[in-house]
Amino acid sequence: MNVEPKTISLPEAQKMVDEWIKTIGVRYFSELTNMAILTEEVGELARIMARKYGDQSFKKSDESYELGDEMADVLWVLICLANQTGVDLNQAFINNVNKKTMRDKDRHENNPKLK
């Protein structure tokens, strides 16, 4: 499966991952395995962030990592988990933005630490 560069929606991404899993990946790993893989991928992202934006220096073995690729790995596994558990990420994201808007509408504006 070769994907042409274009903007895709969350539903398209979920469908794309599902199609890839079923045609190339054979089957989904178990939900628990994917949760462990997600944790691993977030750790790899954290490693790059700590070296690029934090105080740690790059090791020779870290130099081949690319920030965008690590973020995409996290997104991939998260989409796998959403597909496996029946979560519509598009609706979940909309609901989450609405929740944050209602909960935090005054909180950040009145936070002196953000001034």
Side-chain angles (χ1 to χ4, degrees):
M1 172 187 291
N2 198 5
V3 180
E4 296 297 318
K6 66 175 184 168
T7 301
I8 62 171
S9 66
L10 284 171
E12 289 171 319
Q14 283 192 253
K15 183 178 178 189
M16 189 181 300
V17 168
D18 191 59
E19 198 173 293
W20 188 95
I21 293 291
K22 290 176 178 173
T23 60
I24 296 170
V26 180
R27 67 170 179 81
Y28 285 94
F29 295 130
S30 72
E31 294 87 348
L32 189 55
T33 297
N34 273 335
M35 187 63 229
I37 292 170
L38 178 61
T39 303
E40 179 182 316
E41 295 297 350
V42 169
E44 290 175 9
L45 174 59
R47 181 181 192 91
I48 299 307
M49 294 294 293
R51 281 152 179 75
K52 186 166 184 167
Y53 300 101
D55 300 323
Q56 287 190 327
S57 59
F58 278 91
K59 296 177 185 174
K60 198 74 172 159
S61 61
D62 296 328
E63 292 175 357
S64 64
Y65 288 96
E66 183 191 328
L67 188 60
D69 188 52
E70 296 305 327
M71 288 182 180
D73 284 343
V74 169
L75 182 59
W76 177 276
V77 182
L78 187 61
I79 289 172
C80 285
L81 284 166
N83 287 350
Q84 290 175 280
T85 58
V87 171
D88 175 344
L89 281 175
N90 188 71
Q91 190 59 54
F93 186 78
I94 290 167
N95 294 347
N96 192 268
V97 170
N98 288 336
K99 175 188 77 176
K100 284 174 174 43
T101 300
M102 292 299 294
R103 181 189 66 202
D104 299 333
K105 61 184 174 196
D106 298 321
R107 179 172 152 231
H108 298 303
E109 186 176 309
N110 296 324
N111 182 348
K113 294 179 181 179
L114 298 178
K115 304 272 184 218

